Amino acid sequence: MIKYNLTCKCNCTFDSWFASSGEFGRLMKKKLITCIECNSKNVSKSIMAPNVSSSKKIDNINYKFQKNIKKKIIEYQKFIKENCRYVGDKFAQEARSIHYNKKESKSIYGRVTTNEIDELNEEGIETITIPWYDKTEN
Ligand SMILES: [Zn+2]
């Protein structure tokens, strides 16, 4: 996961998490990144993240932001479910078989431990980690 500080034309700045810089570029291109204050699509990446001290207003923004992020993650989950094959706990195994055999072009998703992710990364296998919400959760 990678954190970018984004600014909007309305002068609002906020932080947002992305799976990778490539993923950020993709979402930016598709105009899927919107301002948390005014919903405008005129957001851009700022170069430096400002230091902000905690205040009620910030907490409120954070809360709105968390809700927004959760919505985005759920949309993203839906996209993954529709476009990728679920492999459950066999993620590391399946990812290797795709990487080394190059037989399957369809992306996969499943559960994986952080150790397994480290191993896959060392082998040059790209993975994206996103927080996952269960359906039962509100
Ligand atoms: Zn805005």
Side-chain angles (χ1 to χ4, degrees), residues 8-12 14 35-40 43:
C8 170
K9 278 197 171 163
C10 73
N11 284 330
C12 162
F14 57 99
C35 172
I36 56 165
E37 281 290 311
C38 68
N39 260 325
S40 154
V43 289

Side-chain angles (χ1 to χ4, degrees), residues 81-98:
K81 282 178 180 169
E82 282 165 4
N83 294 281
C84 306
R85 184 166 62 84
Y86 183 66
V87 294
D89 294 328
K90 289 184 181 155
F91 182 84
Q93 194 187 317
E94 291 286 324
R96 276 195 186 92
S97 116
I98 290 169

